[in-house]
Amino acid sequence: MQNKAIPVTRSSMPPIEEYIREIQPIWDSARLTNMGPLHQQFEKAAADYLAVDNISLFANGHLALEIAIQSLGLTGEVITTPFTFVSTTHAIRRNNLQPVFCDIDPEDCTIDVSLLERLISEKTSAIIPVHVYGNICDTAAIESIAKKYHLKVIYDAAHCFGIKVNDRGIGTFGDISMFSFHATKVFHTIEGGALTYGKASYKVNLEHLKNFGFTSPELVEAVGTNAKMNEFQAAMGLCNLRHLDEEIVKRKAVAERYRQNLAGIKGIKLLPEKRGIRQNYAYFPVFFEPIIFGKTRNQVFADLAINNIIARKYFYPLITDLQCYRGIYSITDTPVARTMADQVMTLPMYADLDLKEVDRICGYILA
Ligand SMILES: *Cc1c(COP(=O)(O)O)cnc(C)c1O
């Protein structure tokens, strides 16, 4: 008998009665969107969980990032990473800015800070690094470079809900951080996202920009967009937040089981866990060095697919190889990112993934 398909991820679903209880009041108020009571309640709950002082909620993470860039009035060039989801680069381009790609550190796949300064020109206005898979960038180095050259820093923290660094919320670094609450993320509101920021004064502008730029019913001061989180999304967020700690514990057990099976195997590289970090175990990336391991990433991927296990190649292709960006940037500029993209596979990871299934997946990889 064919085994049941195992997807790379499975969205968290709160008990349906709990969600119904949460959305019930919407039928009395007929308040569906535009920063209603559930939005307000969830905004506070999310800020508490993230340990941040300032937060704004959005329809999704991508629009949040576009608005973050717009709100800071960036110009010219933005230094970023090619080892990310397309959203990061698209948000820069859709603001008519020029991405400048910095290579990554092979130890954690985040931007290689030793290469940053040489990429700064008189046109550079910001750095947009990504805490890839929840691996924290070298925030201290980025902060000191940003300060020296008067650059803004926006972190793509899409993978980072609930991560803390020595008890400090990950969303408190840089000028602004963006979180995604997409259905496939460790915490979700179906679709959704947030920006967190150190300056409380940013809030007014961000709230206007997500509502077409309206500052009052007859006054539109900025060319905003529509990126409001609705009440049903907020209700899902309130429900999922109650179960998140428990889910992270289960994800941790899955990650540990993968490590037990795969650590120390020649030709398989796992990213080290850093000390002092409260992780969320959003992804489990594995890197295959074909000559040492004997199989390429694509061969392993195919072996898993035959057995109905659907892994993903996050992040492959590299952004600079995507149809819409290809040829514009030199592929030799980021050789480490290129190698990592060719070797990476993210294995199935979700709270309810059975540990025996983890063993079975690892069995196919090592076969
Ligand atoms: C998911 C993701 C986004 C986009 O978030 P959405 O909520 O799906 O719009 C941006 N950057 C990264 C790195 C992501 O993984």
Side-chain angles (χ1 to χ4, degrees), residues 168-218:
R168 177 176 168 184
I170 186 66
T172 61
F173 293 91
D175 294 282
I176 302 181
S177 294
M178 179 276 283
F179 293 87
S180 165
F181 305 158
H182 183 257
T184 58
K185 300 299 204 275
V186 73
F187 165 80
H188 77 86
T189 60
I190 311 169
E191 294 264 6
L195 295 178
T196 61
Y197 34 95
K199 285 199 179 120
S201 60
Y202 284 178
K203 174 118 185 152
V204 175
N205 192 30
L206 292 172
E207 297 294 323
H208 291 163
L209 288 174
K210 81 180 188 196
N211 190 22
F212 302 101
F214 276 104
T215 45
S216 70
E218 296 183 9

Tab-separated table of all heavy atoms in Angstrom, residues 168-218:
chain	number	residue	atom	x	y	z
A	168	ARG	N	15.007	38.967	24.223
A	168	ARG	CA	14.597	40.163	23.484
A	168	ARG	C	13.845	39.738	22.220
A	168	ARG	O	14.318	38.873	21.464
A	168	ARG	CB	15.860	40.947	23.128
A	168	ARG	CG	15.587	42.177	22.309
A	168	ARG	CD	16.876	42.972	22.078
A	168	ARG	NE	16.620	43.991	21.064
A	168	ARG	CZ	17.519	44.808	20.551
A	168	ARG	NH1	18.765	44.741	20.985
A	168	ARG	NH2	17.197	45.682	19.629
A	169	GLY	N	12.687	40.317	21.975
A	169	GLY	CA	11.884	39.989	20.789
A	169	GLY	C	12.668	40.288	19.521
A	169	GLY	O	13.284	41.351	19.405
A	170	ILE	N	12.639	39.353	18.575
A	170	ILE	CA	13.405	39.517	17.343
A	170	ILE	C	12.924	40.749	16.554
A	170	ILE	O	13.688	41.341	15.794
A	170	ILE	CB	13.345	38.214	16.491
A	170	ILE	CG1	14.252	38.284	15.265
A	170	ILE	CG2	11.933	37.882	16.054
A	170	ILE	CD1	15.700	38.348	15.597
A	171	GLY	N	11.686	41.138	16.766
A	171	GLY	CA	11.128	42.285	16.038
A	171	GLY	C	11.591	43.642	16.540
A	171	GLY	O	11.135	44.675	16.052
A	172	THR	N	12.492	43.636	17.522
A	172	THR	CA	12.954	44.927	18.060
A	172	THR	C	14.265	45.386	17.418
A	172	THR	O	14.796	46.435	17.773
A	172	THR	CB	13.161	44.859	19.592
A	172	THR	OG1	14.168	43.868	19.856
A	172	THR	CG2	11.872	44.482	20.301
A	173	PHE	N	14.812	44.591	16.496
A	173	PHE	CA	16.070	44.980	15.845
A	173	PHE	C	15.788	45.817	14.598
A	173	PHE	O	14.738	45.672	13.969
A	173	PHE	CB	16.874	43.727	15.464
A	173	PHE	CG	17.372	42.960	16.661
A	173	PHE	CD1	16.622	41.939	17.222
A	173	PHE	CD2	18.596	43.293	17.242
A	173	PHE	CE1	17.073	41.242	18.337
A	173	PHE	CE2	19.056	42.593	18.365
A	173	PHE	CZ	18.303	41.572	18.912
A	174	GLY	N	16.721	46.672	14.249
A	174	GLY	CA	16.586	47.488	13.041
A	174	GLY	C	15.509	48.546	13.199
A	174	GLY	O	14.959	48.758	14.283
A	175	ASP	N	15.210	49.246	12.082
A	175	ASP	CA	14.169	50.279	12.126
A	175	ASP	C	12.788	49.641	12.115
A	175	ASP	O	11.893	50.059	12.850
A	175	ASP	CB	14.321	51.223	10.929
A	175	ASP	CG	15.608	52.020	11.024
A	175	ASP	OD1	15.626	52.992	11.795
A	175	ASP	OD2	16.602	51.636	10.377
A	176	ILE	N	12.619	48.638	11.243
A	176	ILE	CA	11.331	47.956	11.108
A	176	ILE	C	11.616	46.471	10.848
A	176	ILE	O	12.599	46.123	10.187
A	176	ILE	CB	10.514	48.525	9.917
A	176	ILE	CG1	10.284	50.040	10.076
A	176	ILE	CG2	9.178	47.802	9.785
A	176	ILE	CD1	9.448	50.678	8.950
A	177	SER	N	10.757	45.591	11.360
A	177	SER	CA	10.816	44.170	11.007
A	177	SER	C	9.463	43.743	10.464
A	177	SER	O	8.422	44.204	10.933
A	177	SER	CB	11.142	43.306	12.230
A	177	SER	OG	12.449	43.578	12.692
A	178	MET	N	9.511	42.852	9.471
A	178	MET	CA	8.273	42.344	8.876
A	178	MET	C	8.081	40.873	9.230
A	178	MET	O	9.000	40.073	9.088
A	178	MET	CB	8.335	42.491	7.356
A	178	MET	CG	7.104	41.958	6.632
A	178	MET	SD	7.120	40.168	6.313
A	178	MET	CE	8.238	40.071	4.933
A	179	PHE	N	6.882	40.542	9.691
A	179	PHE	CA	6.510	39.147	9.965
A	179	PHE	C	5.413	38.717	8.988
A	179	PHE	O	4.536	39.519	8.669
A	179	PHE	CB	5.969	39.005	11.396
A	179	PHE	CG	7.001	39.252	12.456
A	179	PHE	CD1	7.244	40.540	12.917
A	179	PHE	CD2	7.734	38.203	12.995
A	179	PHE	CE1	8.211	40.777	13.891
A	179	PHE	CE2	8.693	38.428	13.976
A	179	PHE	CZ	8.936	39.720	14.419
A	180	SER	N	5.477	37.479	8.541
A	180	SER	CA	4.406	36.932	7.703
A	180	SER	C	3.554	35.991	8.531
A	180	SER	O	4.081	35.159	9.269
A	180	SER	CB	4.994	36.166	6.525
A	180	SER	OG	3.979	35.365	5.922
A	181	PHE	N	2.232	36.127	8.361
A	181	PHE	CA	1.285	35.206	9.011
A	181	PHE	C	0.582	34.367	7.947
A	181	PHE	O	-0.601	34.083	8.041
A	181	PHE	CB	0.230	35.980	9.819
A	181	PHE	CG	0.767	36.951	10.847
A	181	PHE	CD1	-0.026	38.007	11.286
A	181	PHE	CD2	2.041	36.817	11.398
A	181	PHE	CE1	0.429	38.906	12.241
A	181	PHE	CE2	2.512	37.718	12.354
A	181	PHE	CZ	1.701	38.771	12.774
A	182	HIS	N	1.316	34.022	6.893
A	182	HIS	CA	0.741	33.191	5.833
A	182	HIS	C	0.444	31.787	6.366
A	182	HIS	O	1.117	31.313	7.294
A	182	HIS	CB	1.717	33.108	4.655
A	182	HIS	CG	1.167	32.332	3.502
A	182	HIS	ND1	1.553	31.051	3.224
A	182	HIS	CD2	0.224	32.659	2.592
A	182	HIS	CE1	0.872	30.616	2.168
A	182	HIS	NE2	0.065	31.577	1.769
A	183	ALA	N	-0.519	31.131	5.748
A	183	ALA	CA	-0.973	29.801	6.191
A	183	ALA	C	0.159	28.790	6.365
A	183	ALA	O	0.066	27.883	7.191
A	183	ALA	CB	-2.005	29.261	5.212
A	184	THR	N	1.236	28.946	5.603
A	184	THR	CA	2.336	27.975	5.675
A	184	THR	C	3.375	28.330	6.736
A	184	THR	O	4.334	27.578	6.938
A	184	THR	CB	3.073	27.885	4.327
A	184	THR	OG1	3.554	29.192	4.013
A	184	THR	CG2	2.167	27.379	3.226
A	185	LYS	N	3.207	29.458	7.388
A	185	LYS	CA	4.209	29.870	8.370
A	185	LYS	C	3.921	29.235	9.740
A	185	LYS	O	2.836	28.717	9.979
A	185	LYS	CB	4.232	31.402	8.481
A	185	LYS	CG	4.568	32.129	7.167
A	185	LYS	CD	5.936	31.773	6.628
A	185	LYS	CE	6.562	32.799	5.716
A	185	LYS	NZ	6.199	32.761	4.298
A	186	VAL	N	4.887	29.344	10.621
A	186	VAL	CA	4.791	28.691	11.934
A	186	VAL	C	3.589	29.215	12.721
A	186	VAL	O	2.958	28.490	13.480
A	186	VAL	CB	6.129	28.836	12.691
A	186	VAL	CG1	6.341	30.240	13.199
A	186	VAL	CG2	6.241	27.841	13.813
A	187	PHE	N	3.251	30.461	12.505
A	187	PHE	CA	2.041	31.045	13.086
A	187	PHE	C	1.302	31.734	11.949
A	187	PHE	O	1.920	32.414	11.126
A	187	PHE	CB	2.407	32.093	14.158
A	187	PHE	CG	1.251	32.964	14.519
A	187	PHE	CD1	0.284	32.513	15.400
A	187	PHE	CD2	1.102	34.220	13.956
A	187	PHE	CE1	-0.809	33.304	15.708
A	187	PHE	CE2	0.010	35.015	14.263
A	187	PHE	CZ	-0.951	34.557	15.141
A	188	HIS	N	-0.025	31.559	11.865
A	188	HIS	CA	-0.718	32.178	10.738
A	188	HIS	C	-2.072	32.779	11.087
A	188	HIS	O	-2.675	32.446	12.117
A	188	HIS	CB	-0.872	31.180	9.585
A	188	HIS	CG	-1.964	30.173	9.817
A	188	HIS	ND1	-3.274	30.416	9.497
A	188	HIS	CD2	-1.940	28.928	10.340
A	188	HIS	CE1	-4.009	29.363	9.805
A	188	HIS	NE2	-3.224	28.449	10.322
A	189	THR	N	-2.504	33.692	10.229
A	189	THR	CA	-3.853	34.276	10.282
A	189	THR	C	-4.532	34.013	8.925
A	189	THR	O	-5.211	34.890	8.401
A	189	THR	CB	-3.800	35.784	10.571
A	189	THR	OG1	-3.051	36.425	9.519
A	189	THR	CG2	-3.132	36.100	11.897
A	190	ILE	N	-4.306	32.864	8.340
A	190	ILE	CA	-4.708	32.456	6.984
A	190	ILE	C	-3.773	33.161	6.002
A	190	ILE	O	-2.865	32.552	5.476
A	190	ILE	CB	-6.191	32.741	6.668
A	190	ILE	CG1	-7.081	32.204	7.805
A	190	ILE	CG2	-6.563	32.098	5.302
A	190	ILE	CD1	-8.519	32.639	7.752
A	191	GLU	N	-4.018	34.435	5.734
A	191	GLU	CA	-3.043	35.348	5.141
A	191	GLU	C	-2.880	36.443	6.188
A	191	GLU	O	-3.808	36.724	6.940
A	191	GLU	CB	-3.564	35.978	3.842
A	191	GLU	CG	-3.769	35.019	2.690
A	191	GLU	CD	-2.580	34.956	1.730
A	191	GLU	OE1	-1.538	35.565	2.013
A	191	GLU	OE2	-2.721	34.262	0.712
A	192	GLY	N	-1.746	37.079	6.214
A	192	GLY	CA	-1.593	38.160	7.178
A	192	GLY	C	-0.137	38.489	7.404
A	192	GLY	O	0.753	37.775	6.937
A	193	GLY	N	0.084	39.596	8.081
A	193	GLY	CA	1.458	39.983	8.380
A	193	GLY	C	1.481	41.154	9.343
A	193	GLY	O	0.438	41.705	9.712
A	194	ALA	N	2.679	41.519	9.764
A	194	ALA	CA	2.826	42.633	10.702
A	194	ALA	C	4.153	43.331	10.493
A	194	ALA	O	5.104	42.746	9.966
A	194	ALA	CB	2.742	42.123	12.143
A	195	LEU	N	4.174	44.590	10.881
A	195	LEU	CA	5.435	45.316	10.998
A	195	LEU	C	5.600	45.662	12.466
A	195	LEU	O	4.635	46.047	13.138
A	195	LEU	CB	5.408	46.605	10.165
A	195	LEU	CG	5.306	46.436	8.660
A	195	LEU	CD1	5.235	47.813	7.980
A	195	LEU	CD2	6.474	45.631	8.089
A	196	THR	N	6.826	45.524	12.965
A	196	THR	CA	7.147	45.968	14.320
A	196	THR	C	8.287	46.964	14.194
A	196	THR	O	9.089	46.887	13.262
A	196	THR	CB	7.558	44.787	15.222
A	196	THR	OG1	8.737	44.178	14.674
A	196	THR	CG2	6.451	43.744	15.306
A	197	TYR	N	8.330	47.939	15.120
A	197	TYR	CA	9.289	49.036	14.956
A	197	TYR	C	9.563	49.689	16.298
A	197	TYR	O	8.716	49.671	17.200
A	197	TYR	CB	8.763	50.064	13.942
A	197	TYR	CG	7.259	50.235	13.979
A	197	TYR	CD1	6.669	51.241	14.735
A	197	TYR	CD2	6.436	49.344	13.282
A	197	TYR	CE1	5.281	51.364	14.790
A	197	TYR	CE2	5.053	49.465	13.341
A	197	TYR	CZ	4.482	50.473	14.092
A	197	TYR	OH	3.109	50.576	14.168
A	198	GLY	N	10.741	50.279	16.402
A	198	GLY	CA	11.153	50.892	17.659
A	198	GLY	C	10.521	52.255	17.894
A	198	GLY	O	10.261	52.643	19.034
A	199	LYS	N	10.274	53.000	16.819
A	199	LYS	CA	9.735	54.355	16.973
A	199	LYS	C	8.205	54.341	16.937
A	199	LYS	O	7.604	54.070	15.893
A	199	LYS	CB	10.225	55.245	15.831
A	199	LYS	CG	11.673	55.662	15.969
A	199	LYS	CD	11.946	56.881	15.084
A	199	LYS	CE	13.385	57.333	15.240
A	199	LYS	NZ	14.145	57.308	13.995
A	200	ALA	N	7.585	54.679	18.059
A	200	ALA	CA	6.118	54.696	18.138
A	200	ALA	C	5.538	55.654	17.099
A	200	ALA	O	4.418	55.470	16.606
A	200	ALA	CB	5.683	55.114	19.535
A	201	SER	N	6.307	56.673	16.735
A	201	SER	CA	5.821	57.691	15.790
A	201	SER	C	5.587	57.135	14.382
A	201	SER	O	4.907	57.763	13.570
A	201	SER	CB	6.823	58.841	15.715
A	201	SER	OG	8.075	58.353	15.267
A	202	TYR	N	6.128	55.967	14.075
A	202	TYR	CA	5.902	55.375	12.736
A	202	TYR	C	4.459	54.923	12.547
A	202	TYR	O	3.979	54.786	11.429
A	202	TYR	CB	6.795	54.144	12.525
A	202	TYR	CG	8.252	54.424	12.239
A	202	TYR	CD1	9.148	53.372	12.066
A	202	TYR	CD2	8.743	55.722	12.126
A	202	TYR	CE1	10.498	53.600	11.795
A	202	TYR	CE2	10.076	55.962	11.860
A	202	TYR	CZ	10.950	54.888	11.703
A	202	TYR	OH	12.267	55.120	11.442
A	203	LYS	N	3.801	54.655	13.659
A	203	LYS	CA	2.496	53.987	13.599
A	203	LYS	C	1.482	54.737	12.721
A	203	LYS	O	0.820	54.144	11.859
A	203	LYS	CB	1.939	53.827	15.012
A	203	LYS	CG	0.525	53.284	15.053
A	203	LYS	CD	0.446	51.966	15.759
A	203	LYS	CE	-0.935	51.381	15.698
A	203	LYS	NZ	-0.896	49.927	15.761
A	204	VAL	N	1.358	56.035	12.930
A	204	VAL	CA	0.327	56.823	12.238
A	204	VAL	C	0.455	56.661	10.726
A	204	VAL	O	-0.514	56.332	10.037
A	204	VAL	CB	0.452	58.315	12.638
A	204	VAL	CG1	-0.526	59.170	11.838
A	204	VAL	CG2	0.184	58.460	14.132
A	205	ASN	N	1.656	56.858	10.219
A	205	ASN	CA	1.881	56.767	8.776
A	205	ASN	C	1.614	55.353	8.241
A	205	ASN	O	0.989	55.182	7.186
A	205	ASN	CB	3.315	57.205	8.476
A	205	ASN	CG	3.546	57.424	7.001
A	205	ASN	OD1	2.621	57.788	6.268
A	205	ASN	ND2	4.766	57.198	6.555
A	206	LEU	N	2.095	54.338	8.963
A	206	LEU	CA	1.897	52.951	8.505
A	206	LEU	C	0.407	52.613	8.439
A	206	LEU	O	-0.050	51.959	7.494
A	206	LEU	CB	2.618	51.969	9.440
A	206	LEU	CG	4.143	52.023	9.402
A	206	LEU	CD1	4.745	51.160	10.513
A	206	LEU	CD2	4.674	51.570	8.035
A	207	GLU	N	-0.352	53.068	9.431
A	207	GLU	CA	-1.792	52.788	9.445
A	207	GLU	C	-2.491	53.509	8.282
A	207	GLU	O	-3.430	52.982	7.694
A	207	GLU	CB	-2.410	53.200	10.789
A	207	GLU	CG	-1.872	52.419	11.990
A	207	GLU	CD	-2.246	50.927	11.975
A	207	GLU	OE1	-3.361	50.582	11.560
A	207	GLU	OE2	-1.386	50.111	12.386
A	208	HIS	N	-2.020	54.704	7.939
A	208	HIS	CA	-2.599	55.417	6.790
A	208	HIS	C	-2.274	54.705	5.478
A	208	HIS	O	-3.134	54.544	4.619
A	208	HIS	CB	-2.072	56.853	6.725
A	208	HIS	CG	-2.567	57.702	7.841
A	208	HIS	ND1	-1.960	58.894	8.176
A	208	HIS	CD2	-3.589	57.534	8.705
A	208	HIS	CE1	-2.604	59.424	9.212
A	208	HIS	NE2	-3.592	58.620	9.541
A	209	LEU	N	-1.011	54.299	5.362
A	209	LEU	CA	-0.579	53.692	4.090
A	209	LEU	C	-1.307	52.380	3.803
A	209	LEU	O	-1.519	52.028	2.645
A	209	LEU	CB	0.939	53.476	4.090
A	209	LEU	CG	1.776	54.745	3.958
A	209	LEU	CD1	3.268	54.426	4.128
A	209	LEU	CD2	1.531	55.439	2.617
A	210	LYS	N	-1.703	51.658	4.844
A	210	LYS	CA	-2.394	50.382	4.595
A	210	LYS	C	-3.869	50.599	4.280
A	210	LYS	O	-4.573	49.683	3.894
A	210	LYS	CB	-2.218	49.425	5.781
A	210	LYS	CG	-3.141	49.640	6.973
A	210	LYS	CD	-2.831	48.611	8.056
A	210	LYS	CE	-3.838	48.652	9.183
A	210	LYS	NZ	-3.369	47.949	10.375
A	211	ASN	N	-4.339	51.848	4.430
A	211	ASN	CA	-5.734	52.182	4.141
A	211	ASN	C	-5.800	53.296	3.094
A	211	ASN	O	-6.402	54.343	3.322
A	211	ASN	CB	-6.457	52.571	5.434
A	211	ASN	CG	-7.954	52.683	5.254
A	211	ASN	OD1	-8.522	52.112	4.317
A	211	ASN	ND2	-8.598	53.433	6.132
A	212	PHE	N	-5.153	53.076	1.964
A	212	PHE	CA	-5.187	53.968	0.790
A	212	PHE	C	-4.556	55.341	1.026
A	212	PHE	O	-4.603	56.192	0.141
A	212	PHE	CB	-6.630	54.184	0.302
A	212	PHE	CG	-7.344	52.919	-0.063
A	212	PHE	CD1	-8.252	52.344	0.805
A	212	PHE	CD2	-7.104	52.294	-1.278
A	212	PHE	CE1	-8.912	51.167	0.475
A	212	PHE	CE2	-7.769	51.117	-1.622
A	212	PHE	CZ	-8.675	50.546	-0.736
A	213	GLY	N	-4.024	55.582	2.205
A	213	GLY	CA	-3.471	56.898	2.508
A	213	GLY	C	-4.490	57.845	3.137
A	213	GLY	O	-4.190	59.027	3.343
A	214	PHE	N	-5.667	57.307	3.482
A	214	PHE	CA	-6.665	58.154	4.160
A	214	PHE	C	-6.158	58.585	5.522
A	214	PHE	O	-5.765	57.750	6.337
A	214	PHE	CB	-7.978	57.373	4.385
A	214	PHE	CG	-8.897	57.383	3.201
A	214	PHE	CD1	-9.017	56.263	2.392
A	214	PHE	CD2	-9.657	58.516	2.902
A	214	PHE	CE1	-9.873	56.265	1.297
A	214	PHE	CE2	-10.518	58.519	1.817
A	214	PHE	CZ	-10.625	57.397	0.995
A	215	THR	N	-6.177	59.887	5.784
A	215	THR	CA	-5.888	60.341	7.140
A	215	THR	C	-7.184	60.753	7.838
A	215	THR	O	-7.260	60.793	9.055
A	215	THR	CB	-4.895	61.522	7.153
A	215	THR	OG1	-5.284	62.454	6.158
A	215	THR	CG2	-3.499	61.055	6.839
A	216	SER	N	-8.205	61.078	7.059
A	216	SER	CA	-9.550	61.307	7.573
A	216	SER	C	-10.487	61.103	6.376
A	216	SER	O	-10.019	60.993	5.243
A	216	SER	CB	-9.680	62.708	8.174
A	216	SER	OG	-9.626	63.675	7.148
A	217	PRO	N	-11.813	61.028	6.602
A	217	PRO	CA	-12.713	60.647	5.507
A	217	PRO	C	-12.570	61.491	4.235
A	217	PRO	O	-12.833	61.008	3.145
A	217	PRO	CB	-14.101	60.806	6.130
A	217	PRO	CG	-13.890	60.568	7.578
A	217	PRO	CD	-12.531	61.128	7.887
A	218	GLU	N	-12.144	62.733	4.349
A	218	GLU	CA	-12.044	63.566	3.149
A	218	GLU	C	-10.603	63.960	2.836
A	218	GLU	O	-10.373	64.845	2.003
A	218	GLU	CB	-12.935	64.819	3.314
A	218	GLU	CG	-14.404	64.437	3.411
A	218	GLU	CD	-15.348	65.638	3.494
A	218	GLU	OE1	-14.875	66.775	3.306
A	218	GLU	OE2	-16.544	65.402	3.751
